[in-house]
């Protein structure tokens, strides 16, 4: 196998072509919408790579564990809640999100920008070209965010998408859609809900949903008559 | 590449299906694919734009049919074979070829937390001057590269305004081919909804794209 | 079910949306590339429509027969051959294909929405329908699968020379390629160049040389190999 870069590119194109050709010729079997058993094929690849010493199984477990249990929207919620109670922090977050996030003891993301919602401004995040998302900070994106339906519609009909998510915006609100085409990732800083003035940071964080930080929702209102 | 992956503004992609309390992974195999993809990237045989290009090269009908992790899995097999890390026969059989040497994985469990992100890997320190300033009017060029690019079709030829300079980054159209980085400024560019979608769009709304210097020309 | 147009569109939209929904949930069955039960489903629909008196079976058969046997590229080839031998006819054809076709005895309105476009030493025409697969049925019959395919539809407009190259036709750089995207109701017939060395052939022999591919624009008309069959 030619291990030069040109060889790499030639090999991948040839493989993709072969793959497509094979698929065309044997389409009775190959075009199940959900391949009958990705489980087995994935297991086979994993075993192969472990066998060859290309990946470490414990490292795999650690990575999966991190994303299943440790990294998630709660990180973002803390940051948003802090920004709500501390105007200086909010300014720092808007100016340099990675630095502000690491202030809270969280791992510093590389290319994150916070965009602030307001009474006349609503931000929405998408990646039309693939599914880029601030994963290292908010956890992995939901399926709907990665779907062709969302990717195609968010840029052309953001108000229609928001409407489907139950959010109707007045005409005089500006909607800004951020298409994550480069390595910058976007965090929406939702508006602090009315009636939350007395709540502490922890209770505020509980109002901040992942959906609000992507921009398809507002933050949850405080419980009616609820405490801190 | 003018592929189906470049789907901003397309119609007919169906309804958005929202799942409440969605699990991080819907099947165990998804989590394995996720981890394999990240950990094999550490071999530095490919960069993030090479892997995107690989996904984009999945034939259109298959691309649209496949789930997100199935696309990753499909691309991963090809990347591993093309890079020489595994052979086609090994991929098909799922077994190491007899006599092939065993390597040492570059990332252990302890190192997982400190693996650099794709963003960290794409930033460049090169002292390149920006061509545009915040507030300046620009036009996205009418480029149609046959291969990987991050300039969506819906923006080409459209008039926008520089919102912010994000600094210097490697150029995806180049690094997808293992060519030299061509480090250059990336800007946040604001495009009015009406500029993109015509008179019936909101007069107030806008789409912001992060675009490399090479994608832009003065307006 | 509402019989109004609005009702129709609403119902069709709802059905399509329901299909999407169904697809999301039951995609194991719906996405065969070549559905094995398509034959049965078509038969079933045909029977239903005949049963309900909505279509006449003999009419179905006649229509299929017409396009399998009667209407085809031979029609276009006749027009091309006449244009080659008769300069006046060619002029009339380029001005109004409808009238020119009537001249040759085709039923009136056969060439109603047809436009003939002429190739020359420095101009090469190529026809496509990027949006669906529109094609000049009246002169060429039904289109071949490749013409209707996503690869042709997508590439003909952006890389016509690449497409022609794959068809074995290399054009000089100084030739102008015109791609006609059949977006409206006009249909295009390419009038290929008469091959050199064909001066002595009769109109009928000339017509036999004109291929469907040449009238779409993916080929030129050539003489058969020396010593081969005419």
């Amino acid at each position: 196998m030619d291990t030069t870069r040109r060889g790499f590119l030639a090999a991948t194109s040839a493989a993709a072509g072969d793959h497509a050709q094979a698929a065309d010729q044997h389409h009775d079997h190959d075009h199940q919408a959900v391949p009958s058993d990705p489980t087995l094929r994935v297991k086979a690849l994993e075993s192969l790579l472990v066998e060859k010493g290309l990946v470490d199984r414990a490292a795999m477990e650690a990575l999966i564990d991190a994303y299943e249990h440790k990294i998630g929207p709660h990180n973002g919620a803390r940051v948003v809640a802090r920004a709500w109670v501390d105007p200086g922090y909010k300014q720092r977050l808007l100016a340099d999100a990675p630095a502000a996030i690491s202030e809270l003891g969280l791992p510093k993301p590389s290319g994150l920008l916070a965009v602030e919602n307001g009474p006349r401004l609503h931000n929405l995040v998408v990646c039309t070209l693939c599914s880029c998302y601030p994963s290292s900070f908010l956890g992995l994106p939901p399926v709907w965010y990665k779907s062709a339906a969302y990717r195609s519609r968010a840029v052309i009909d953001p108000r229609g998408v928001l409407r489907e998510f139950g959010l109707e915006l007045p005409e005089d609100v500006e909607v800004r859609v951020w298409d994550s085409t480069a390595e910058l990732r976007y965090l929406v800083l939702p508006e602090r809900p009315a009636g939350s003035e007395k709540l502490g940071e922890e209770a505020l964080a509980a109002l901040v949903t992942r959906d609000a930080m992507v921009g398809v929702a507002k933050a949850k209102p405080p419980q009616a008559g609820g405490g801190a | 590449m003018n592929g189906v992956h470049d789907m901003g503004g397309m119609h007919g992609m169906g309804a958005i299906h929202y799942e409440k309390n969605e699990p991080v992974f819907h099947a165990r195999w998804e989590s394995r694919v996720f981890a394999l993809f990240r950990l094999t990237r550490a071999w530095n045989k490919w960069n993030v734009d090479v892997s995107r290009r690989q996904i984009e090269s999945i034939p259109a009908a298959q691309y649209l049919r496949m789930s997100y992790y199935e696309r990753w899995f499909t691309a991963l097999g090809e990347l591993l074979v093309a890079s020489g890390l595994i052979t086609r026969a090994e991929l098909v059989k799922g077994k190491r070829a007899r006599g092939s040497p065993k390597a040492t994985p570059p990332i252990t469990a302890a190192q997982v937390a400190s693996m650099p992100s794709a963003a960290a890997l794409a930033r460049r320190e090169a002292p390149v001057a920006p061509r545009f300033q915040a507030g300046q009017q620009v036009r996205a060029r009418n480029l149609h590269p046959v291969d990987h690019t991050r300039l969506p079709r819906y923006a080409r030829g459209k008039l926008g305004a520089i919102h912010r300079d994000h600094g210097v980054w490697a150029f995806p159209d180049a690094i997808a081919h293992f060519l030299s980085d061509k480090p250059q400024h990336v800007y946040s560019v604001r495009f009015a909804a009406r500029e993109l979608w015509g008179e019936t769009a909101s007069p107030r709304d806008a789409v912001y794209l992060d675009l490399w210097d090479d994608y832009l020309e003065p307006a | 079910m509402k019989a109004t147009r609005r009702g129709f569109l609403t119902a069709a939209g709802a059905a399509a949306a329901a299909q999407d929904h169904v697809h999301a949930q039951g995609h194991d069955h719906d996405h065969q590339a070549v559905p094995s039960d398509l034959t049965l489903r078509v038969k079933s629909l045909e029977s239903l429509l005949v049963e309900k008196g909505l279509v006449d079976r003999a009419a179905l058969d006649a229509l299929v027969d017409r396009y399998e046997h009667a209407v085809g590229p031979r029609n276009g080839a006749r027009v091309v051959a006449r244009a080659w031998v008769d300069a006046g006819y060619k002029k009339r054809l380029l001005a109004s294909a409808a009238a020119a076709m009537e001249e040759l005895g085709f039923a009136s309105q056969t060439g109603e929405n047809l436009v003939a476009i002429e190739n020359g030493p420095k101009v090469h025409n190529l026809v496509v329908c990027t949006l669906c697969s529109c094609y000049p049925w009246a002169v060429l019959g039904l289109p071949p699968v490749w013409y209707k395919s996503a690869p042709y539809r997508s590439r003909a407009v952006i890389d016509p020379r690449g497409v022609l190259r794959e068809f074995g036709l290399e054009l000089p750089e100084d030739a102008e390629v015109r791609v006609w995207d059949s977006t409206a109701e006009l249909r295009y017939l390419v009038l290929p160049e008469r091959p050199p060395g064909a001066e002595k052939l009769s109109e009928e022999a000339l017509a036999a040389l004109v291929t469907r591919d040449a009238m779409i624009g993916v080929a030129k008309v050539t003489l058969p190999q020396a010593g081969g069959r005419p």
Side-chain angles (χ1 to χ4, degrees), chain B residues 147-199:
Chain B
D147 252 309
H148 182 67
T149 185
R150 296 293 286 188
L151 172 58
R153 254 174 296 176
Y154 72 83
R156 295 170 193 172
K158 303 297 184 185
L159 200 57
I162 302 288
H163 168 69
R164 187 180 184 274
D165 185 336
H166 288 311
V168 180
W169 301 76
F171 186 48
D173 305 45
I175 64 174
H177 292 265
F178 296 107
L179 299 172
S180 82
D181 288 354
K182 284 194 91 178
Q184 57 192 263
H185 284 255
V186 172
Y187 311 91
S188 176
V189 185
R190 176 190 165 102
F191 293 87
R194 282 200 164 169
E195 170 70 5
L196 296 176
W197 314 118
E199 296 168 357

Side-chain angles (χ1 to χ4, degrees), chain A residues 145-212:
Chain A
Y145 180 90
K146 302 181 282 187
S147 71
Y150 184 76
R151 285 167 57 187
S152 58
R153 289 181 55 209
V155 285
I156 189 171
D157 184 23
R159 288 172 185 270
V161 170
L162 292 173
R163 192 171 296 124
E164 282 178 26
F165 275 90
L167 183 49
E168 187 78 41
L169 293 175
E171 286 242 358
D172 65 345
V173 169
E174 175 188 344
V175 175
R176 293 182 179 177
V177 184
W178 302 80
D179 191 354
S180 316
T181 46
E183 297 306 330
L184 290 314
R185 299 287 168 263
Y186 292 91
L187 169 72
V188 175
L189 179 45
E191 290 175 273
R192 180 173 181 165
S196 68
E197 294 73 21
K198 296 250 169 61
L199 296 182
E201 230 174 292
E202 214 177 298
L204 286 172
L207 303 179
V208 182
T209 60
R210 177 211 51 213
D211 289 359

